[in-house]
Amino acid sequence: MNKLRLFFLLMCVGNMTQAHNFAPSLLELREQPGGIVELLWRTPMQAVTQPAPVLPQGCRQLGKRVQVVNGSAVEFRYSLVCPVSMGELNFSVRGLTESKTAALLRWHSLAGGRQQLLLRTDQDSFVPKSDIGMGRALVQFSALGVSHILAGVDHLLFVLGLLMLASGIRQLVILITSFTLGHSISLALVSLGFIPYMPSLAEWLIALSVLLMAGFLSTGVGQTKSRAGMTVLIAGFGLLHGLGFAGVLSELLDGSSGVVSALLGFNIGIELGQLMFIAAVMAGVWLLRQLPSLRWLAGARWAAIYLMGSVSMYWLLDRGLKLVEATLDYGVY
C-alpha cells in the first residue's frame, strides 16, 4: 500500500515537472537595398512570458505584419526601413531572462555575408559587424547544449538509469558511449535534414524509454540480458533521445553555413552537461556510502526507480494524448 501511495504521489510530481526547456527563438534579418531590412521572428508558443525583438532607434515598420503558426511556434514577418547605416543599428531581444530561453540571431547582409549569434540573458544585443568565427559559435552552442541537457529531466532520468544499470565502471563507460553514439547520430540526421523532425512522436518515445529503463531496473532484466544485447539496446534508446535533442536546433538551422559549428557545439555541450550530471550523482552516492548504514543507499535506489517509473508513466499518457491530437489536427506527428 505504501508503494502504491508513493507511485501516485510521484505521478503528481510528473505533472509539475517540465521535461524540456523551450527551444530558442529565432530572429532572422535580411538586408535589402535602400536601408530596408526584412525581419522574421519565431518564438515558442508554450512560453508563459514570450520574448520579443527590440528594434533599433529610427527604424520604422513598412506595411503590415504577417503572423502565422508554424508547428509549436508563432512567426512574425515584416519589413523595416532604417535611415542610418547598418553598422549603427542595434538589435536586441527583451524577455530572455523571464522566459529562461535564448534567441538565435541570424544576419544576412546585402553583400552576401552572413553572421550568426546566440543571444542570451547576459548578451542580448547585436550590431552588424564582421562575420563571427567558428570558435565563438562553438562556445555559444556548447553553452546552449549544457543548459538544454541539464533542464531535460527525462534525459537525465534515463542517464541515471544507466548509472544504476551498470555493474562497474567499465560497463558504465560502454553504456554511456553507446547512448552518446546513438543520440549524436539522430541529432545530426534531423538537424541536417536527412530525416524529418516529429516532436510529438519523439517525446512519447523518450517517455517510453524511461519507463522501460525503470522496468529493467525493478525486475533485474538489465542484469540478466547479455552485455552486447544491452549495449545495442541502449544505443537504440540513444537514437530516440537524439530526436528530442534535435528539437532545439531543427527550427533554427537552415542548412546553410554555420550548421556544422552549431551542431558540433551543441553536441559538445550535451556531452559536457551529461558528464556534469554523472559526476554529481556519483559524488552523491559516495556521500551516501559514508553513512553508518548502507540501508540509505538501497532506499535511494528504489526511490529513484519509483520516480522514473511514475513520472515516465505520466509523461507517456500526457504525451500520448498530445500525439493523438497532433495526428488528428494536422495528420502529422
Side-chain angles (χ1 to χ4, degrees), residues 16-29:
M16 300 181 288
T17 303
Q18 179 179 312
H20 291 285
N21 52 345
F22 297 123
S25 301
L26 171 66
L27 177 59
E28 188 170 71
L29 306 165

Side-chain angles (χ1 to χ4, degrees), residues 263-324:
L263 179 59
L264 180 60
F266 186 71
N267 202 52
I268 290 174
I270 288 176
E271 303 317 316
L272 289 175
Q274 191 170 274
L275 291 175
M276 290 167 59
F277 174 74
I278 292 173
V281 173
M282 295 184 70
V285 172
W286 181 85
L287 290 175
L288 285 175
R289 291 185 182 276
Q290 308 311 306
L291 297 175
S293 175
L294 291 182
R295 289 181 300 176
W296 287 92
L297 189 59
R301 175 184 173 84
W302 278 106
I305 294 174
Y306 271 99
L307 175 64
M308 292 175 60
S310 304
V311 175
S312 62
M313 179 63 75
Y314 169 79
W315 286 334
L316 203 64
L317 297 174
D318 180 63
R319 297 176 185 182
L321 292 176
K322 293 178 181 178
L323 175 60
V324 172

Side-chain angles (χ1 to χ4, degrees), residues 21 102 120 141-152 266 269-270 273:
N21 52 345
R120 306 182 65 86
F141 279 92
S142 294
L144 179 62
V146 171
S147 62
H148 179 71
I149 184 65
L150 294 182
F266 186 71
I270 288 176

